[in-house]
Amino acid sequence: MRDPRVVRCTYYLESEIDPEQAAAAMAGEQSSGTFVAVPGESPRLRERHAAQVISVQELGLRSPSLPSRTPAKDVRAALAVVEFPMENIGTDLATLQTTVAGNLFELGELFACRLQDIELPKEFLAAHHGPAFGIPGTRTLLGNADGVMIGTIIKPNVGLAEDEFRLVVRELARSSIDLIKDDELMTDPAYLPLERRVAIATEEIREAEQHTGHPVMYAFNITGDLAGLQQRHDLVVQAGGRCVMLNVPIMGLPALAWLREFSAVPIHGHRAGLAGSMRAPGLGMSYRVWQQLARLAGADHLHVSGLGSKFYESDTEVAANVRSLLEPLGDFPSPVPTLSSGQNVTTPGPTYAAVGTTDLLMLAGGAVAAHPDGPAAGVRSLRAAWAAAVDGVPLEAAAHTAAQAGDPALLHAGRTFGGLA
Amino acid sequence: MRDPRVVRCTYYLESEIDPEQAAAAMAGEQSSGTFVAVPGESPRLRERHAAQVISVQELGLRSPSLPSRTPAKDVRAALAVVEFPMENIGTDLATLQTTVAGNLFELGELFACRLQDIELPKEFLAAHHGPAFGIPGTRTLLGNADGVMIGTIIKPNVGLAEDEFRLVVRELARSSIDLIKDDELMTDPAYLPLERRVAIATEEIREAEQHTGHPVMYAFNITGDLAGLQQRHDLVVQAGGRCVMLNVPIMGLPALAWLREFSAVPIHGHRAGLAGSMRAPGLGMSYRVWQQLARLAGADHLHVSGLGSKFYESDTEVAANVRSLLEPLGDFPSPVPTLSSGQNVTTPGPTYAAVGTTDLLMLAGGAVAAHPDGPAAGVRSLRAAWAAAVDGVPLEAAAHTAAQAGDPALLHAGRTFGGLA
């Protein structure tokens, strides 16, 4: 008797053979099949455990996206919907990933194989924790922060000595910013150990909060060996830290899910390395799929690249990334879509026009640290740019109005980072 | 004062701008740079922490390998050698990966970015455990097994009920095979839990060994949640199991390194999912790089695809994979190059001709389970095919000689799986 619960996947495939056959071969490889019929592959077993090709939509002839052991000239492109019995997978995330995005990328008869979309049964979602904080929990920890949250990255991202680090954090903490984060490259180096960074940053933030009354969250990068993961988390929490960060694609989704089990603070999910299995259009998985897995595993904040960024995804794709994070998934709170790379006062306008939400964390490096009037002015300029974007006021008008009212931060930012002459 | 110890990486890059500039921008992004000059990026810091472009070799104009936010027509391809100060990275594997294969794949101005080769300083290698068993330790556990080790995968890979599983293992264990492994899709499903699989398989193997006197190693797939990883490992070891298997790309290299810290048995490293970040020629990292990281992390066996396989890599590439695993790395024993997919009596000849070694584990599914005379004949046929390959005897001659001497296993295999009329 076949369990009606299935994991439904949409793949983009290319093959020289009939796409129906190619999809069936892939579905077999990823469930009960093998290359040669073997004893034991009984009708009972097939009926209950074989993945099934639900539909194949041909997209026409193309040049092959990927190399294979036998070169092809033209290949047939198709979208194939395949259903995997949930019974094969259970509720384990690594098993899910092995099934829907494992050996299938190896198959020589496929000249493209990309997991475009996934639909998980309720029972699968219900077996996972999801984000413990997400948007609402993060806002609460930030003193019920309203609107777009503004964050920044410690720069230079490597090499700061302890005393230099202290001065950088001090100035940022006093800028009434919402979040400061380690760079993804900054983990636990001998010249500035995590333990010292945590001690210094929490001390400076406490001190700054006495003056500003504005809570600041620091996302400490606890990426590193798994044997020490819990210890590094505990170090942050015991010092009063309010957020930990993980380079999710490098640590793996199982590491994120494990951290979620004991983390007392939000998990800032960095995507370093993700493009290595996402950027080639005919290979790997889409952001739409990956973010669902990362949400299941418990990420509270997830990087989406940024509109106007220096990264490869177009603004349209980045906006789709943001929207995908805000789509419901089970009963979990949504994670905070985290914009990064090349963010400054010119990007809120197009971003708000594209996504129509302020449930965002915008990370700006240079636009905060290198603002001509200092980081506090940098943060003010970004908040003002967001207010203008939401109100539909052009940046230039908002900048001049604010300057006339005594705050030239936006005007100076616009002149420094672009957007204003 | 700059530390002379560096991690040296070779990248294949494509860019519209001068490749020298593109490489420098990438090196900056992955070390002390940011998009905008920020206060604190002092000459001291740059001198000590900036990654340095050592050489750039232009390869001419090409069509872009990857999409970006601004389309390009022709791009300039180049090989760039970049050195990262070891001080930035320390000795942590996740930090290494973030540095040499992290955000750089996102960069919009690159239209290809692939890590082709890596050279790690001795001090980095010395900080890692490497394989605890590798080739010598595996051979010892298999009763000083000589020559190519023969293994197989439980098929059908999903769906077997307990009693069906018992019969499959029984027959394979009695076949005098060296290794039986779970499929990568088989983890800990409710219909055949790992605990039951371990109990049944170890019992059947003990029983078979009484008859055959031939030790059999079973690689139990302990891929799954990290919270339960040690428990699953202990379950295998306490039952007398001699090997655990991990889907390395999905679990992540940090999970492999963590398992290595407590594993009492060899770790069989499966590469499910690896092609997702390896198959696009202009993206991700090469097998040559990946295998070094997986060896550092402690894999005792590593999958290399197979010559004549159904997977995408050409025989030349597979042979290069094998050779890369047998190149020295620090003072570690080499892991066992593990051939899989489409392996049968026809593949030893070309494999031996290409790699010239018998330090191999050949996994054959159908060629063992579906041999017309049963699995024991399947194993005998593969051993005979390897003996013929090493002795330079054509398969047909070897098959007829063996048949005349009373063992038609190779002859029947050749007629069933190809190679003989």
Side-chain angles (χ1 to χ4, degrees):
Chain A
M1 180 71 173
R2 194 178 166 95
D3 187 322
R5 298 169 306 172
V6 294
V7 173
R8 176 182 278 234
C9 293
T10 305
Y11 292 95
Y12 171 74
L13 303 176
E14 291 171 5
S15 60
E16 279 189 294
I17 58 172
D18 179 354
E20 293 267 5
Q21 280 175 35
M26 188 270 271
E29 168 75 9
Q30 296 305 110
S31 61
S32 62
T34 185
F35 301 123
V36 190
V38 292
E41 197 179 349
S42 63
R44 176 202 72 83
L45 192 145
R46 266 190 184 280
E47 157 64 25
R48 183 159 152 180
H49 294 282
Q52 299 195 339
V53 180
I54 300 303
S55 69
V56 173
Q57 180 197 345
E58 285 217 41
L59 303 172
L61 288 179
R62 303 198 178 162
S63 296
S65 293
L66 298 172
S68 192
R69 59 166 48 234
T70 315
K73 198 161 168 279
D74 286 325
V75 289
R76 294 161 74 173
L79 282 177
V81 177
V82 179
E83 286 183 351
F84 299 90
M86 186 174 152
E87 197 185 8
N88 292 9
I89 298 166
T91 59
D92 179 59
L93 209 53
T95 308
L96 173 69
Q97 208 181 328
T98 305
T99 304
V100 303
N103 254 7
L104 71 186
F105 301 131
E106 298 269 1
L107 294 175
E109 63 193 355
L110 300 180
F111 293 84
C113 180
R114 183 176 175 90
L115 178 56
Q116 300 277 36
D117 206 355
I118 192 167
E119 212 176 302
L120 293 162
K122 270 186 194 154
E123 291 83 351
F124 194 95
L125 298 174
H128 294 267
H129 293 303
F133 295 86
I135 295 170
T138 300
R139 289 198 183 283
T140 303
L141 282 175
L142 290 173
N144 298 314
D146 224 21
V148 173
M149 294 166 271
I150 305 294
T152 194
I153 308 111
I154 296 283
K155 297 280 176 188
N157 46 36
V158 297
L160 287 174
E162 261 191 52
D163 53 343
E164 295 167 328
F165 175 74
R166 181 183 291 279
L167 294 178
V168 171
V169 176
R170 181 175 295 168
E171 222 181 355
L172 291 172
R174 290 181 180 178
S175 73
S176 293
I177 201 160
D178 298 310
L179 182 139
I180 306 172
K181 69 177 273 295
D182 284 328
D183 192 84
E184 82 276 5
L185 295 171
M186 172 58 55
T187 57
D188 194 11
Y191 65 85
L192 183 58
L194 177 67
E195 188 170 3
R196 291 301 301 148
R197 235 157 59 237
V198 169
I200 292 168
T202 51
E203 191 183 311
E204 290 296 331
I205 286 171
R206 262 194 299 274
E207 177 72 21
E209 286 175 353
Q210 298 295 317
H211 293 88
T212 63
H214 186 92
V216 178
M217 185 178 268
Y218 193 115
F220 292 102
N221 188 3
I222 62 169
T223 295
D225 68 303
L226 284 170
L229 187 70
Q230 184 150 10
Q231 194 196 337
R232 292 192 299 277
H233 161 273
D234 292 351
L235 181 75
V236 170
V237 173
Q238 278 156 20
R242 297 174 186 139
C243 187
V244 291
M245 164 173 156
L246 202 70
N247 298 347
V248 177
I250 282 160
M251 296 297 289
L253 290 167
L256 174 60
W258 187 42
L259 174 59
R260 166 65 178 85
E261 288 191 28
F262 56 78
S263 186
V265 294
I267 302 168
H268 186 84
H270 199 283
R271 60 180 249 182
L274 185 63
S277 59
M278 191 171 284
R279 186 168 175 180
L283 184 65
M285 63 170 74
S286 68
Y287 190 85
R288 183 171 181 75
V289 174
W290 183 78
Q291 57 88 16
Q292 291 188 54
L293 306 184
R295 285 162 76 178
L296 277 177
D300 293 292
H301 310 159
L302 276 172
H303 282 231
V304 294
S305 182
L307 286 92
S309 85
K310 308 289 180 187
F311 291 162
Y312 76 97
E313 286 169 296
S314 69
D315 286 358
T316 307
E317 290 169 314
V318 176
N321 292 350
V322 170
R323 280 192 296 267
S324 73
L325 287 184
L326 298 173
E327 277 178 29
L329 184 73
D331 299 323
F332 310 131
S334 282
V336 183
T338 302
L339 301 154
S340 76
S341 172
Q343 301 299 292
N344 60 47
V345 292
T346 67
T347 49
T351 302
Y352 190 72
V355 300
T357 179
T358 57
D359 272 336
L360 301 167
L361 168 62
M362 172 190 258
L363 299 176
V368 172
H371 190 285
D373 310 330
V379 173
R380 283 204 314 282
S381 72
L382 291 166
R383 295 203 197 280
W386 270 105
V390 172
D391 294 342
V393 177
L395 196 65
E396 178 135 21
H400 286 292
T401 306
Q404 277 155 18
D407 187 356
L410 183 53
L411 191 64
H412 293 171
R415 287 181 179 155
T416 306
F417 300 106
L420 300 178
Chain B
M1 179 69 172
R2 192 177 168 96
D3 188 321
R5 297 170 305 173
V6 293
V7 173
R8 174 183 280 233
C9 293
T10 305
Y11 293 96
Y12 171 76
L13 304 176
E14 292 171 3
S15 60
E16 280 189 292
I17 58 172
D18 178 353
E20 292 266 4
Q21 280 174 36
M26 188 271 269
E29 169 74 8
Q30 295 304 109
S31 61
S32 62
T34 186
F35 301 124
V36 190
V38 292
E41 197 179 347
S42 62
R44 175 201 73 83
L45 193 145
R46 267 191 182 282
E47 156 65 25
R48 185 160 150 179
H49 294 281
Q52 298 195 340
V53 180
I54 301 301
S55 69
V56 174
Q57 180 197 343
E58 286 217 41
L59 302 172
L61 287 180
R62 302 198 178 161
S63 297
S65 292
L66 298 171
S68 192
R69 55 166 49 233
T70 314
K73 199 162 167 279
D74 286 325
V75 291
R76 295 161 73 173
L79 282 177
V81 177
V82 179
E83 285 183 352
F84 299 91
M86 186 176 153
E87 196 183 8
N88 292 9
I89 296 166
T91 58
D92 179 58
L93 209 53
T95 308
L96 173 68
Q97 208 181 331
T98 306
T99 304
V100 303
N103 254 6
L104 71 186
F105 301 131
E106 299 268 0
L107 295 174
E109 63 193 355
L110 299 181
F111 293 84
C113 180
R114 181 175 176 91
L115 177 56
Q116 300 277 40
D117 205 354
I118 192 167
E119 211 177 301
L120 293 162
K122 270 186 194 154
E123 292 82 352
F124 195 96
L125 299 174
H128 295 267
H129 293 303
F133 296 86
I135 295 170
T138 300
R139 289 198 183 281
T140 303
L141 282 174
L142 289 173
N144 299 313
D146 223 22
V148 172
M149 294 166 270
I150 304 294
T152 193
I153 309 111
I154 297 284
K155 297 281 175 188
N157 46 36
V158 298
L160 288 174
E162 260 190 52
D163 53 343
E164 295 168 326
F165 175 74
R166 182 183 289 279
L167 294 179
V168 171
V169 175
R170 181 174 297 169
E171 222 180 354
L172 292 172
R174 290 180 181 179
S175 74
S176 292
I177 201 161
D178 299 309
L179 183 138
I180 306 172
K181 68 177 273 292
D182 284 328
D183 191 84
E184 82 277 3
L185 295 170
M186 173 56 57
T187 57
D188 194 11
Y191 66 85
L192 184 58
L194 177 67
E195 189 170 3
R196 290 302 301 146
R197 234 158 58 239
V198 169
I200 292 167
T202 50
E203 191 183 312
E204 289 297 332
I205 286 171
R206 261 193 300 274
E207 178 72 21
E209 286 174 352
Q210 300 293 317
H211 292 86
T212 63
H214 187 92
V216 177
M217 185 178 268
Y218 192 115
F220 292 101
N221 189 3
I222 61 168
T223 295
D225 68 303
L226 284 171
L229 187 69
Q230 184 150 13
Q231 195 197 333
R232 293 192 298 278
H233 161 273
D234 293 351
L235 181 73
V236 171
V237 172
Q238 278 155 21
R242 297 176 187 137
C243 187
V244 292
M245 163 172 154
L246 201 70
N247 298 346
V248 177
I250 282 159
M251 296 298 287
L253 291 167
L256 173 58
W258 187 42
L259 173 59
R260 167 65 177 87
E261 288 192 27
F262 56 77
S263 185
V265 294
I267 302 168
H268 186 85
H270 200 284
R271 59 180 249 181
L274 185 63
S277 58
M278 191 171 283
R279 187 168 172 179
L283 184 64
M285 64 170 73
S286 67
Y287 189 84
R288 182 171 182 75
V289 174
W290 183 78
Q291 58 86 17
Q292 290 188 52
L293 306 184
R295 285 163 75 179
L296 276 178
D300 293 292
H301 311 159
L302 276 171
H303 281 232
V304 294
S305 182
L307 286 92
S309 85
K310 307 290 181 186
F311 291 162
Y312 77 97
E313 286 168 297
S314 68
D315 286 358
T316 307
E317 289 168 315
V318 177
N321 292 350
V322 171
R323 279 192 295 267
S324 73
L325 287 184
L326 298 174
E327 278 179 28
L329 185 72
D331 299 322
F332 311 132
S334 283
V336 183
T338 301
L339 301 154
S340 76
S341 171
Q343 300 301 292
N344 60 47
V345 292
T346 67
T347 48
T351 303
Y352 189 73
V355 300
T357 180
T358 56
D359 273 336
L360 301 166
L361 168 62
M362 173 190 257
L363 299 176
V368 172
H371 190 285
D373 310 330
V379 172
R380 282 203 315 279
S381 72
L382 291 166
R383 294 201 198 279
W386 269 105
V390 171
D391 293 342
V393 176
L395 197 64
E396 180 135 19
H400 286 291
T401 306
Q404 278 155 17
D407 187 356
L410 183 53
L411 190 66
H412 293 170
R415 286 180 179 156
T416 306
F417 300 107
L420 300 179

